[in-house]
Amino acid sequence: QSRLVESGGGLVQPGGSLRLSCDASDVTLGYSDLDAIGWFRQAPGKEREGVSCIKTDGFGTNYADSVKGRFIISRDGAKNMIYLQMNNLKPEDTATYYCAVRGSPPLPVCTVDYRYYNYWGQGTQVTVSS
C-alpha cells in the first residue's frame, strides 16, 4: 500500500518560515511509474488548491501564483523525501498541507491541478498568526 507522510507544520508569526517534509519511503510505485510529486493545501471552508510540484527527476517545477517567490519545492537525492520551504509566510497561507504523487503517463511539465494526482498523505497543519 502506497503511503505518504507529511511533517514540519506548526504555528508561526507572519513573515516567518517553515520547511515541510514528505516521507515517500513507503510508496510502492516504481521509478518508471512516478511522474511528479506535488504540495497542496486546504483551509477550513475552502476548496483544495495546488501549491507547488516537482518532476521525479528533480528538474522542472511549478508554483501557484500566490506562493511564487516565497516557496521552494525540492527532492533529495535518495528520492524518498520531498520538501517545501515556505518563506515570508502570510495569514492567508494557513491551511492543512498535503503532499501527493502522480503516476504514469508522464506530463511534459508537472501540474498543480490536484485532479492529476493519485496518492495522498494525511496532511500537516500550518497556522500563520500573530
Side-chain angles (χ1 to χ4, degrees):
Q1 181 80 4
S2 297
R3 187 165 181 261
L4 300 166
V5 181
E6 303 95 334
S7 62
L11 173 64
V12 297
Q13 294 184 345
S17 298
L18 285 173
R19 189 183 73 163
L20 305 183
S21 300
C22 176
D23 186 346
S25 60
D26 288 335
V27 175
T28 59
L29 291 174
Y31 173 82
S32 62
D33 295 321
L34 290 171
D35 179 42
I37 301 174
W39 284 98
F40 303 82
R41 66 187 182 187
Q42 187 166 18
K46 298 185 180 297
E47 293 187 352
R48 184 176 5 174
E49 62 175 332
V51 175
S52 183
C53 61
I54 186 169
K55 296 285 284 184
T56 54
D57 62 6
F59 300 98
T61 59
N62 205 353
Y63 296 89
D65 289 341
S66 60
V67 306
K68 287 181 179 178
R70 299 190 296 122
F71 292 8
I72 303 172
I73 190 171
S74 62
R75 187 178 186 182
D76 71 5
K79 299 182 179 181
N80 61 357
M81 294 292 292
I82 308 91
Y83 304 100
L84 184 68
Q85 179 65 45
M86 309 165 67
N87 301 315
N88 192 24
L89 284 161
K90 305 175 180 180
E92 305 90 89
D93 296 317
T94 296
T96 301
Y97 283 70
Y98 303 87
C99 63
V101 169
R102 170 176 168 77
S104 59
L107 297 173
V109 296
C110 67
T111 178
V112 293
D113 187 337
Y114 71 89
R115 295 173 295 177
Y116 288 83
Y117 289 79
N118 311 110
Y119 307 98
W120 295 81
Q122 298 299 307
T124 185
Q125 178 66 37
V126 172
T127 302
V128 185
S129 180
S130 299

